[in-house]
């Protein structure tokens, strides 16, 4: 519970994911174990070692957004604007009915608008500066999703962007909760990342964390002996967050609350000190006033690299005990969405509470070396009152969030 | 005769290509004396539009040309003034 007594309710979800555009489409596919990972179609991937991605198919921005916005927005912003629209609809909130200064927007971003930026940089070096779009001034920028959502919906309250790779998706939710506690009435929070273009691709390759597998069903295998990196994806989720009491007062449908959060940074390599993920989990549980036994499912970060998987398994077994809590990674169906991953996992956690079912991880044969109760291939019926979502970002960021039913 | 002329049709095409069009505005209506703001174009849209005019027509527009041109008519006049070759005699 917060010091101020304000609890952060989630009242609306907007999902754009490789295995489903729209919350219910995504959720239906996820429960059935249907993956959105495949060979890259956005560009010809032949010359790159990594050739698989979780791409969103069938998204036509012009169907959803005003013509004035199309030339000035990258794909990630178009997806984010639509996800925000859907989240508002889901929350039964019309932003034009609320005072602008009482609504904020806090998103996370890991790379900005790479496809837009690549096109304009190519214009710069092939034709000259006069050929660069004036909109490049902001369309590539980390904060652009927050800015465009703010402008489109007249949201003038506390707003910003968090940049901490995959962990940022939870850090943005935590920042939104801080703003609710300070008196902001509603915050649109979460993240949508999309950088499946050659420039974005080589930037991701530099991490040495990408899977070079060619078989979409065997390329992204966290907690598997064959784990050898992740498949990148695009998309994410935006969540309408409100002060719980105000949400109840307006009769809102409430998915649950963001009850706890913890974040740490790993020690520098070679320091001999332990990684920070366990501490982040303990901080999140303490913040929620929860004990490990209260948690019904863990949504894993699922790096699919042996060392990082081992750290995550050790963390979960140290806090909960061996095979003591169901663990899942539905991101095996979308690829890692960078900042978008954790908000999508939060959406899945709230839907798991609603439908009393834990969505599966797909394709994974759990390694005997990982003493986890991993939910694989088929959904598992189970009452879910409380969930822990983990997200780690490149560079040592660890974040954990506890969500629960209210 | 100017070597070429910058017409309202050119302007509408460049606006649509560079900045898109507001669904609530009929660019094919009588817009010559309508403020760019009322047509849905803010300063950045005009900056993009000016850049595209410069590229296509091989001219250089002063910053003031874009900021002072409040309507399509005034922008057409300013651009065409640059396109007209110096009068002989």
């Amino acid at each position: 519970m917060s010091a101020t007594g304000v609890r952060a309710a989630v009242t609306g979800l907007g999902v754009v994911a490789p295995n489903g555009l729209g919350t219910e489409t995504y959720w239906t596919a996820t429960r059935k174990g249907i993956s959105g990972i495949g060979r890259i179609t956005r560009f010809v991937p032949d010359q790159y070692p990594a050739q698989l991605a979780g791409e969103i198919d069938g998204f036509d921005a012009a169907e959803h957004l005003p013509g004035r916005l199309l030339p000035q927005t990258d794909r990630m912003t178009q997806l984010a604007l639509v996800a925000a629209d859907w989240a508002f609809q889901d929350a039964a909130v019309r932003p034009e009915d609320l005072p602008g200064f009482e609504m904020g927007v806090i998103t996370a971003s890991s790379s900005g608008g790479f496809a837009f930026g690549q096109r304009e940089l190519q214009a710069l070096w092939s034709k000259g500066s006069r050929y660069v779009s004036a909109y490049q001034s902001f369309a590539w920028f980390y904060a652009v999703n927050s800015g465009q959502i703010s402008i489109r919906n007249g949201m003038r309250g506390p707003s910003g962007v968090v940049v901490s790779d995959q962990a940022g998706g939870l850090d943005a939710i935590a920042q939104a909760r801080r703003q609710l506690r300070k008196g902001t009435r509603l915050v649109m929070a979460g993240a949508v990342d999309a950088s499946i273009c050659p420039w974005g691709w080589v930037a991701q390759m530099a991490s040495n964390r990408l899977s070079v597998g060619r078989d979409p069903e065997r390329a992204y295998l966290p907690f598997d002996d064959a784990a050898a990196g992740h498949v990148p994806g695009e998309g994410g989720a935006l969540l309408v967050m409100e002060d719980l009491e105000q949400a109840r007062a307006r009769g809102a449908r409430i998915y649950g609350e963001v009850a706890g959060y913890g974040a740490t940074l790993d020690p520098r390599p070679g320091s001999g000190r332990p990684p920070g993920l366990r501490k982040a989990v303990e901080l999140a549980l303490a913040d929620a006033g929860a004990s490990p036994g209260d948690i019904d499912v863990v949504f894993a970060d699922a790096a699919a690299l042996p060392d990082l998987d081992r750290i995550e398994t050790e963390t979960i077994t140290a806090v909960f005990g061996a095979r003591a809590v169901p663990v899942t990674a539905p991101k095996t169906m979308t690829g890692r969405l960078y900042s978008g991953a954790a908000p999508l996992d939060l959406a899945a956690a709230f839907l798991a509470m609603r439908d009393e079912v834990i969505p599966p991880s797909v394709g994974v044969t759990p390694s005997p070396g990982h003493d986890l109760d991993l939910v694989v291939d088929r959904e598992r019926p189970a009452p879910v009152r409380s969930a822990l979502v983990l997200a780690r970002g490149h560079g040592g960021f660890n974040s954990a969030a506890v969500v629960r039913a209210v | 005769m100017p070597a070429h002329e910058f017409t309202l049709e050119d302007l509408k095409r460049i606006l649509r290509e560079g900045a898109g069009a507001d669904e609530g505005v009929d660019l094919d209506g009588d817009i010559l004396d309508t403020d760019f703001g009322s047509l849905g174009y803010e300063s950045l849209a005009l900056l993009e539009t000016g850049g595209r005019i410069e590229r296509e027509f091989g001219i250089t527009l002063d910053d003031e040309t874009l900021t002072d041109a409040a309507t399509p008519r005034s922008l057409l006049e300013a651009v065409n003034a640059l396109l007209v070759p110096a009068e002989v005699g």
Side-chain angles (χ1 to χ4, degrees):
Chain A
M1 301 300 147
S2 80
T4 63
V6 171
R7 293 164 70 186
V10 171
T11 58
L13 304 175
V15 168
V16 285
N19 64 341
L21 198 53
T23 302
E24 297 306 329
T25 310
Y26 158 75
W27 184 235
T28 300
T30 297
R31 287 185 59 176
K32 291 179 177 169
I34 297 171
S35 171
I37 290 174
R39 185 174 161 81
I40 292 171
T41 63
R42 206 69 49 70
F43 60 93
V44 178
D46 297 12
Q47 62 184 309
Y48 302 93
Q51 300 184 357
L52 301 179
E55 293 181 335
I56 293 174
D57 297 327
F59 176 73
D60 180 1
E63 285 180 11
H64 305 283
L65 297 172
R68 282 286 286 108
L69 278 174
L70 300 178
Q72 58 177 278
T73 43
D74 181 78
R75 178 176 174 84
M76 67 151 196
T77 304
Q78 295 169 355
L79 288 164
L81 284 164
V82 172
D85 285 354
W86 289 346
F88 270 130
Q89 288 166 19
D90 189 41
V93 169
R94 285 162 39 94
E96 58 269 38
D97 293 343
L98 293 178
F101 287 102
E102 294 186 18
M103 299 182 289
V105 189
I106 297 168
T107 65
S109 178
S110 77
S111 59
F114 260 52
F116 195 108
Q118 172 172 345
R119 190 181 68 220
E120 299 309 319
L121 288 176
Q122 283 176 321
L124 175 65
W125 58 251
S126 65
K127 297 178 188 168
S129 60
R130 284 156 61 105
Y131 287 82
V132 176
S133 166
Y135 294 114
Q136 169 69 358
S137 56
F138 59 71
W140 73 272
F141 190 49
Y142 295 111
V144 71
N145 288 0
S146 285
Q148 290 284 22
I149 293 168
S150 162
I151 293 166
R152 176 163 166 78
N153 297 291
M155 306 169 81
R156 297 160 175 263
S159 298
V161 64
V162 182
V163 180
S164 43
D165 190 27
Q166 189 120 335
L170 292 182
D171 300 338
I173 298 295
Q175 179 64 6
R177 191 176 64 150
R178 288 185 199 105
Q179 295 301 348
L180 293 177
R181 287 174 173 176
K182 289 180 183 173
T184 298
R185 179 166 169 173
L186 179 153
V187 182
M188 182 68 72
V192 173
D193 263 327
S195 59
I196 302 176
C197 64
W199 185 32
W201 205 247
V202 293
Q204 303 297 356
M205 280 167 44
S207 71
N208 284 322
R209 292 180 171 193
L210 266 53
S211 167
V212 297
R214 294 287 192 270
D215 176 358
E217 295 179 2
R218 293 289 300 160
Y220 176 30
L221 300 170
F223 310 111
D224 187 310
D225 282 331
H230 69 262
V231 172
E234 61 181 355
L238 287 166
L239 285 63
V240 173
M241 295 174 61
E242 299 177 68
D243 169 6
L244 176 63
E245 293 313 316
Q246 290 195 45
R248 279 182 168 143
R250 75 172 179 90
R253 181 267 326 276
I254 295 166
Y255 284 105
E257 67 169 323
V258 178
Y261 164 75
T264 62
L265 197 61
D266 281 334
R268 80 180 153 74
S271 73
R273 287 180 286 137
L277 183 61
R278 179 176 176 177
K279 185 68 179 174
V281 171
E282 291 169 348
L283 288 168
L285 289 169
D287 185 36
S291 61
D294 295 330
I295 300 296
D296 298 309
V297 58
V298 176
F299 286 78
D301 173 65
L305 290 166
D307 280 358
L308 288 170
D309 283 355
R310 179 182 50 76
I311 289 167
E312 188 161 34
T313 295
E314 287 173 0
T315 296
I316 293 169
T317 55
V319 173
F320 295 92
R323 298 178 181 272
V325 63
V327 177
T328 192
K331 58 170 69 77
T332 47
M333 289 173 258
T334 62
R336 283 174 76 82
L337 306 185
Y338 302 97
S339 298
L344 187 62
D345 277 345
L346 288 171
F350 287 120
L351 296 165
M353 290 178 193
R354 183 190 71 183
D355 294 346
E356 302 198 324
V357 66
I358 297 172
S361 320
V362 302
V364 177
T365 305
S367 160
H370 290 284
D371 223 359
L372 299 177
D373 174 15
L374 200 63
V375 179
V376 287
D377 294 335
R378 288 178 200 286
E379 65 179 14
R380 181 188 297 178
V384 179
R385 294 277 305 162
S386 206
L388 173 70
V389 175
L390 304 180
R392 288 178 292 187
H394 193 48
F397 298 98
N398 303 291
S399 293
V402 173
V403 294
R404 69 180 160 219
V406 294
Chain B
M1 288 285 291
H4 42 204
E5 186 186 1
F6 181 56
T7 67
L8 183 60
E9 290 307 311
D10 292 324
L11 175 60
K12 290 193 294 192
R13 170 176 51 78
I14 288 172
L15 283 168
R16 286 191 174 107
E17 286 171 359
D22 188 314
E23 281 74 7
V25 171
D26 179 13
L27 282 187
D28 293 323
D30 183 11
I31 64 164
L32 264 178
D33 295 306
T34 308
D35 279 5
F36 280 114
S38 302
L39 295 172
Y41 298 108
E42 80 299 321
S43 60
L44 201 57
L46 292 180
L47 188 64
E48 173 65 15
T49 300
R52 285 172 179 261
I53 295 169
E54 290 181 334
R55 270 141 54 181
E56 185 170 329
F57 289 86
I59 57 173
T60 301
L61 296 169
D62 294 336
D63 289 348
E64 294 76 29
T65 304
L66 287 168
T67 50
D68 292 351
T71 63
R73 184 188 302 278
S74 52
L75 183 57
L76 290 180
E77 286 172 356
V79 171
N80 280 313
L82 293 170
L83 292 175
V84 176
E87 290 292 328
V88 180

